[in-house]
Structure formats: structure tokens, C-alpha cells
Amino acid sequence: MAHAKDMDLYCGACHMLVDEIHWEINQTDPKRTIQVGSFRIMPDGSQRLSEIPYKQSTVQLTELLETACSKPGDYYQSVDKLTNTKIYKRQNRRDGQPASLKNLTLSKDIMKMLKFACEGIAEDFEEEIITVFRDKENENYLQSICVSQTELCKESQLYDVNPDVVEDEDNPDDIESNNQESDTEVKTEL
């Protein structure tokens, strides 16, 4: 009997994939270039090479697709209060602000499933993802990839993968830790 895809998981994996690629692109030196063209030596001893920007090149995007799913441990599972669906957010904010530790679940099983789903998306939609990220005019990669191209998310499921900022009432003592033989899980409740 075939099991249906956990669409919340696949939507979350798509969020992770887009977030990781977008972050790495933004960290790329815009002055960096790569040589492209034929490395064949012509009869006159010359080569037909040219330099193009590395940032958002097919070469960079192909490399990023190979590594984008390698950090599922940077993400945790939570439940969206409004829709009651599972969402996946980063454990640490990219902007350096303290992250809220409310309503989160971490486990090796979740990390494995998130990585598996992410790798499947990267493999199944490689060309579409590269095409979207090559478009320098596109400002909404998440919507273009996760809703339009892969149809893994609904428009209402798009969210920022950065965790919420710590609020005054956040209390790190709310974390419950359950150590199990094959899995380590941490849950917090509101």
C-alpha cells in the first residue's frame, strides 16, 4: 500500500531548499567570475573562453543544489497556530537576533525526513529551480518554486523560515527533552 506524501513536510523541505540557496547566493561576491566556453585549443593556439559572473550562474546553482539539503539539523518542526499545519523553521535567525524557543520539535527522524524530501525536490525539479534562480528580476523565489513550479505548497503556506524573535515571556526553562535510544527529541509548548 503506497503512502501519501506528507505535504506539510514537502512544503517545509521546499522552504528549506529555497532558503539555503537564496542565502548562499546572497553571500556570493558579485565580482567573482568563472570562465566558460570551449577549452578546446584552436589550430591557431587560442581558446574560445569568456568570463561571466559566478553569482546566479548555472554552475553556482548546480553546486548549490548539491549541498542545499545538507543542513536539516538547522531546522525544527513547529505547528502554525492559525492553520494547524506543520512548518519548518531555522533554529537560529540569520540576522543574529535571539530566536524564540516556543512550540518547536527537534528529532533525528524529522531531520532525516526533511533531508530526504529536500533531496527529492532538488533532483526532481533541478531545471525548474535553476531557471527560477537565474532570473535576476524574480524577487519571490519561494512562491515561484514552492507554489508555481513544484506545487508543493499553497500560497497560504508560505512563511519566513527564520524563527520568531525572542519575546519577554519566552522562557528557556519551557524546553522538555526526551532522550530515546534511536532518537533525540526536544519539544516546547506555548
Side-chain angles (χ1 to χ4, degrees):
M1 181 176 177
H3 294 285
K5 275 187 184 177
D6 178 344
M7 292 311 291
D8 291 345
L9 173 70
Y10 277 82
C11 180
C14 191
H15 275 78
M16 181 179 93
L17 178 67
V18 170
D19 177 64
E20 292 297 326
I21 292 173
H22 190 229
W23 171 258
E24 291 298 331
I25 288 171
N26 287 335
Q27 302 311 301
T28 304
D29 181 355
K31 296 176 185 171
R32 183 176 174 190
T33 60
I34 55 170
Q35 288 187 338
V36 295
S38 174
F39 287 94
R40 180 183 218 179
I41 298 178
M42 307 308 274
D44 66 357
S46 66
Q47 290 179 304
R48 291 190 184 148
L49 296 174
S50 60
E51 287 197 3
I52 63 167
Y54 176 72
K55 187 173 183 173
Q56 287 181 274
S57 67
T58 302
V59 171
Q60 181 189 32
L61 295 170
T62 301
E63 290 171 355
L64 291 176
L65 275 168
E66 292 176 13
T67 61
C69 299
S70 65
K71 300 179 183 176
D74 290 354
Y75 292 79
Y76 65 85
Q77 179 181 295
S78 186
V79 176
D80 184 289
K81 296 176 208 172
L82 300 175
T83 63
N84 202 31
T85 57
K86 291 181 283 186
I87 59 174
Y88 299 83
K89 293 195 165 208
R90 292 186 51 75
Q91 291 184 46
N92 299 304
R93 295 183 56 85
R94 293 210 193 264
D95 61 11
Q97 293 186 47
S100 173
L101 298 176
K102 287 188 171 186
N103 190 23
L104 66 91
T105 304
L106 296 169
S107 79
K108 289 180 184 177
D109 286 342
I110 290 171
M111 288 180 225
K112 286 178 193 174
M113 291 185 301
L114 194 59
K115 182 176 182 173
F116 178 79
C118 181
E119 289 172 343
I121 296 165
E123 185 177 318
D124 294 345
F125 296 97
E126 179 176 3
E127 289 179 31
E128 293 88 342
I129 293 167
I130 289 173
T131 299
V132 169
F133 274 109
R134 293 269 305 135
D135 179 1
K136 292 176 174 66
E137 301 299 315
N138 188 339
E139 294 183 11
N140 195 342
Y141 301 115
L142 193 60
Q143 194 281 334
S144 296
I145 293 170
C146 298
V147 176
S148 300
Q149 294 293 322
T150 65
E151 298 180 351
L152 293 169
C153 299
K154 297 175 188 150
E155 193 77 38
S156 62
Q157 290 178 295
L158 299 181
Y159 54 86
D160 182 4
V161 296
N162 271 305
D164 297 330
V165 177
V166 171
E167 298 172 13
D168 290 338
E169 67 271 5
D170 284 351
N171 183 353
D173 295 333
D174 290 343
I175 298 175
E176 296 175 22
S177 179
N178 300 318
N179 292 321
Q180 300 170 354
E181 224 171 272
S182 65
D183 194 13
T184 301
E185 187 171 303
V186 177
K187 287 186 178 184
T188 65
E189 300 298 325
L190 294 175

